Amino acid sequence: MNESLRELRERLAEIHDLRSAGGLLGWDQQTMMPERAAPLRAEALGTLGRLAHERFTDDAIGSLLSSLEGEEERLRAADPESDDAALIRVTRIDWEKSRRVPDELVAEMVRAGAHGHQAWVEARERSDFAHFLPYLARNVELRQRYVACFEGFDDPYDVLLDDYEPGMKTAEVAALFAELRGELVPLIAAVAEHADRVDNAILHGDFAPARQREVVQRVLSKLGWRADGWRLDEAAHPFAASFGPTDVRLTTRYEPDYVGMSLYGSIHEFGHGLYESQIAPELARTPLGEGVSLAVHESQSRLWENIVGRGRPFTRYLHGQLAEVFPERFGAVAPEDFYRAVNRVAPSLIRVEADEATYALHIILRFELEQAMIAGTLDLADLPEAWNARMKEYLGVDVPDDAHGVLQDVHWAGGDIGYFSTYALGNLIGAQLWERARADLPDLDAALEQGDGTQLREWLGTNLHRHGRKFTPRETVERITGAPIAVAPFVRYLRGKLTPLYGLD
Ligand code: ZN
């Protein structure tokens, strides 16, 4: 192997290990850590983060990348899909990006995010937007300074979006969302007129957490969770973490009076974990060994949670498991009634509780407001009013107070601006992948009715997961679906489900 390439790989592996150690401390913080350890843990996380950042932005990485320019071309000429050529390309993009932002600005953004988070917790508790406003203003100002570190973009928001969805442009997202909004607003208004046709009361009641755990463990094991490479733990805010294909950590939350949280939350996180677990082992400990973008990652969690998990075949299996573990509750419930309950659609105030149909409208609202914040065309003091007006227009919902409105999400408090759109883009990509998978796998429904995720899992592994970050997000989606991100498959999927369920025409 080329000597510079060997050295680059060695350095990148070391940086990966530092980041993994930090990630593992973060996982521990949310699952196992005793409360009093928090200040010490913050120091340790800060140190590891700084070390990884210093090592990555080092001049030596830049020199290695310069000396590898010819090698990259040679590798790609010999094999257009060369792992090493992709590694050099992706590392160069990451390195150049990280070098543009001064360390002081990075540190300031982290500090402002921590203060913003604290102020947001207090403001949300008291539903007091005015208390949060100066912290939000500070976060926005720092993001504008961050944007100013870059050049050659069409829209300032492009710079922020690129951190979550590399290569995606604001104008593209805006066009997709305008089309999606045009489809969803009338569809959801029609559903709301027939709201009484579907209710989900059977999912609420008395569900002992230990028995919920039994159901979750059974379901995940059938889908592909394995004891020798995965863990499942509890966390207040469930997430998935991974430190390589053979170390995947899922978390969930057991709500004693609602079985839907642990069940569908776990399937969602399984989708994230599966993606990471099926990345080609040879990409491990390199920048290629992770999901290609947040939208593609979210397409995986939502594909399993919603399209599979709430689909008619798989709900038959889920219903059977619930009837075994909670016979007093589900023994007398028909599978069709369970299917209806888990597919209830209703406009609501809170994004994280929203169903798969209304969810995207919560996102579109945030995307539009973020653009205005960064462009400086919206006075931040007017944000609650702008929020509430859009909630009424898109979802027909009246916002009673800011705690249930503009203060509900953690993202802006920590300075994460540009993130939200990836959730809704994930819904779109998930539906595109699903259409292709169904065309390729004629027996898929029969397998899912038995709870068996093998076919879909292997299909995703071969077509998507194994590549990690080897191709751009756009190339990754187009290679599989033959098209860029599109709205029509998701709308087809939703209409196909909701039209019979709600008796629409
Ligand atoms: Zn997710």
Side-chain angles (χ1 to χ4, degrees):
M1 185 192 284
N2 176 299
E3 183 56 26
S4 299
L5 186 55
R6 195 194 52 74
E7 192 188 335
L8 181 69
R9 277 181 164 278
E10 247 174 53
R11 285 174 178 264
L12 292 173
E14 203 176 70
I15 293 161
H16 171 273
D17 292 345
L18 284 169
R19 287 185 179 148
S20 276
L24 193 56
L25 289 184
W27 169 84
D28 174 78
Q29 186 170 34
Q30 295 193 62
T31 53
M32 304 281 171
M33 188 187 83
E35 209 180 310
R36 285 179 62 208
L40 269 178
R41 181 57 49 90
E43 296 292 337
L45 282 169
T47 301
L48 282 170
R50 183 171 45 75
L51 286 175
H53 178 76
E54 280 170 10
R55 286 189 187 223
F56 186 65
T57 52
D58 198 307
D59 290 338
I61 300 261
S63 310
L64 288 168
L65 287 169
S66 301
S67 71
L68 282 166
E69 270 169 31
E71 179 70 1
E72 182 187 354
E73 276 173 38
R74 196 189 60 74
L75 287 163
R76 190 163 291 118
D79 170 11
E81 299 193 357
S82 152
D83 284 357
D84 284 331
L87 177 71
I88 297 167
R89 177 182 66 80
V90 164
T91 304
R92 178 176 291 115
I93 292 172
D94 290 354
W95 186 81
E96 285 175 356
K97 239 180 139 167
S98 74
R99 291 275 290 199
R100 280 185 170 268
V101 187
D103 289 350
E104 307 85 69
L105 178 57
V106 175
E108 193 49 36
M109 290 197 302
V110 171
R111 244 194 318 275
H115 290 145
H117 184 88
Q118 185 55 36
W120 167 76
V121 171
E122 297 155 4
R124 190 170 71 150
E125 234 167 65
R126 312 199 300 253
S127 195
D128 179 4
F129 179 74
H131 178 65
F132 178 56
L133 180 57
Y135 298 91
L136 177 64
R138 178 75 179 140
N139 281 341
V140 169
E141 183 213 324
L142 289 169
R143 267 22 181 218
Q144 287 164 335
R145 276 172 56 194
Y146 178 82
V147 168
C149 299
F150 295 83
E151 53 202 22
F153 45 80
D154 306 327
D155 184 311
Y157 190 83
D158 284 354
V159 174
L160 303 178
L161 187 61
D162 194 79
D163 284 348
Y164 306 100
E165 201 54 29
M168 194 87 184
K169 300 284 180 220
T170 309
E172 294 173 85
V173 180
L176 288 168
F177 282 3
E179 183 185 349
L180 183 57
R181 197 181 71 198
E183 296 281 356
L184 288 181
V185 170
L187 177 64
I188 287 159
V191 165
E193 275 179 32
H194 300 88
D196 54 349
R197 293 195 186 217
V198 178
D199 87 80
N200 64 0
I202 55 168
L203 304 176
H204 297 270
D206 190 10
F207 299 101
R211 288 156 79 195
Q212 290 191 47
R213 192 176 301 126
E214 162 71 19
V215 176
V216 166
Q217 197 67 68
R218 284 186 189 195
V219 171
L220 293 188
S221 298
K222 285 285 272 184
L223 289 179
W225 187 96
R226 25 188 306 185
D228 62 355
W230 297 56
R231 281 189 64 91
L232 174 66
D233 296 277
E234 289 179 52
H237 304 284
F239 62 96
S242 137
F243 312 107
T246 50
D247 188 355
V248 178
R249 319 281 175 114
L250 308 185
T251 61
T252 193
R253 190 173 80 218
Y254 303 101
E255 290 185 356
D257 56 358
Y258 174 59
V259 75
M261 175 68 216
S262 69
L263 195 56
Y264 282 100
S266 304
I267 298 174
H268 179 100
E269 300 309 338
F270 166 80
H272 283 303
L274 183 68
Y275 187 177
E276 300 279 330
S277 81
Q278 297 203 111
I279 292 173
E282 59 271 23
L283 304 183
R285 296 178 81 220
T286 80
L288 301 183
E290 48 192 85
V292 71
S293 75
L294 288 191
V296 176
H297 233 299
E298 201 63 15
S299 79
Q300 296 308 288
S301 52
R302 283 159 197 263
L303 174 60
W304 287 99
E305 177 195 357
N306 292 328
I307 304 183
V308 172
R310 296 178 207 274
R312 197 173 255 112
F314 196 73
T315 54
R316 285 183 185 278
Y317 162 75
L318 282 183
H319 170 269
Q321 300 305 303
L322 286 166
E324 275 180 37
V325 178
F326 295 104
E328 73 286 0
R329 186 67 183 183
F330 289 101
V333 170
E336 181 65 16
D337 288 333
F338 177 70
Y339 168 75
R340 297 175 72 80
V342 300
N343 283 295
R344 178 173 176 268
V345 166
S348 63
L349 289 166
I350 305 296
R351 174 186 63 86
V352 295
E353 295 166 7
D355 55 76
E356 62 175 325
T358 56
Y359 189 89
L361 291 174
H362 290 267
I363 295 304
I364 292 171
L365 168 161
R366 286 158 177 77
F367 169 73
E368 292 169 351
L369 294 177
E370 283 187 346
Q371 278 179 271
M373 284 194 271
I374 293 301
T377 54
L378 173 71
D379 185 344
L380 293 178
D382 298 335
L383 191 60
E385 210 178 307
W387 179 288
N388 298 350
R390 278 182 170 75
M391 283 299 285
K392 186 71 181 174
E393 189 189 338
Y394 300 168
L395 287 160
V397 167
D398 290 303
V399 179
D401 55 51
D402 290 340
H404 294 85
V406 69
L407 289 174
Q408 66 181 268
D409 292 310
V410 68
H411 302 62
W412 295 344
D416 289 328
I417 299 173
Y419 189 132
F420 278 122
S421 59
T422 65
Y423 294 122
L425 295 173
N427 278 338
L428 302 183
I429 298 168
Q432 290 176 273
L433 293 172
W434 178 246
E435 285 194 347
R436 179 47 60 112
R438 283 180 67 86
D440 286 357
L441 304 170
D443 304 326
L444 184 55
D445 280 356
L448 293 177
E449 199 167 326
Q450 305 300 316
D452 184 353
T454 312
Q455 281 190 25
L456 184 59
R457 190 173 76 231
E458 289 177 353
W459 186 90
L460 289 167
T462 305
N463 292 290
L464 171 62
H465 298 166
R466 71 188 169 94
H467 299 307
R469 290 178 74 199
K470 196 166 142 179
F471 304 104
T472 66
R474 188 186 309 273
E475 287 166 351
T476 303
V477 171
E478 291 195 11
R479 280 170 59 94
I480 309 170
T481 66
I485 303 181
V487 167
F490 179 62
V491 172
R492 265 200 293 275
Y493 156 74
L494 273 187
R495 281 192 191 282
K497 181 184 272 189
L498 298 181
T499 300
L501 205 56
Y502 279 92
L504 312 175
D505 36 48

